[in-house]
Amino acid sequence: MRVANHCIAGITGASAGLGRALAIELAATRRWSLLLVGRDEERLLAVKKVAEDLWHGDRTLVADVRICDLACVESRRELVEELCAMPVTLLVNNAGVKYFGEFLDQD
């Protein structure tokens, strides 16, 4: 991911909820390029489209999508390597895992 004169925000869990909302807010500032990370490609592409629409054709801003299941050790390793290879200014680790049951029964 190459950008000129802009900061890069990497956001995990970017396909919905807080991650999606933050990605859209950052895009609206027109100062951040985005690396959108999540498991649901269709929803990530929808967030990317919203960001690109907010940028009104400004090609200096970039939104990239990475399909990644952070529950998988290999996927996490690959994502960390990619993030370390680019000048990420902001990393939002927003991806979550749902557990159901009693709190005291959780690992």
Side-chain angles (χ1 to χ4, degrees):
M1 181 174 185
R2 296 188 135 199
V3 296
N5 301 322
H6 292 97
C7 297
I8 299 174
I11 305 171
T12 66
S15 60
L18 292 173
R20 179 184 184 279
L22 181 59
I24 291 169
E25 285 296 316
L26 290 175
T29 70
R30 299 185 70 176
R31 294 186 181 131
W32 292 88
S33 286
L34 305 172
L35 179 62
L36 306 170
V37 181
R39 295 178 298 177
D40 189 322
E41 182 175 20
E42 185 176 325
R43 290 168 76 178
L44 287 173
L45 290 172
V47 175
K48 176 181 177 175
K49 170 119 176 52
V50 170
E52 291 171 342
D53 289 347
L54 288 168
W55 294 333
H56 305 290
D58 183 346
R59 295 191 185 273
T60 64
L61 294 164
V62 177
D64 275 351
V65 168
R66 295 295 180 276
I67 309 308
C68 182
D69 182 357
L70 295 176
C72 173
V73 173
E74 183 63 22
S75 293
R76 284 195 308 264
R77 184 189 62 74
E78 290 172 3
L79 179 62
V80 168
E81 287 177 359
E82 183 174 2
L83 290 170
C84 287
M86 65 176 67
V88 173
T89 306
L90 174 67
L91 176 61
V92 179
N93 282 315
N94 179 66
V97 177
K98 294 178 185 175
Y99 292 103
F100 297 96
E102 296 295 322
F103 177 76
L104 295 176
D105 294 336
Q106 303 301 314
D107 290 335

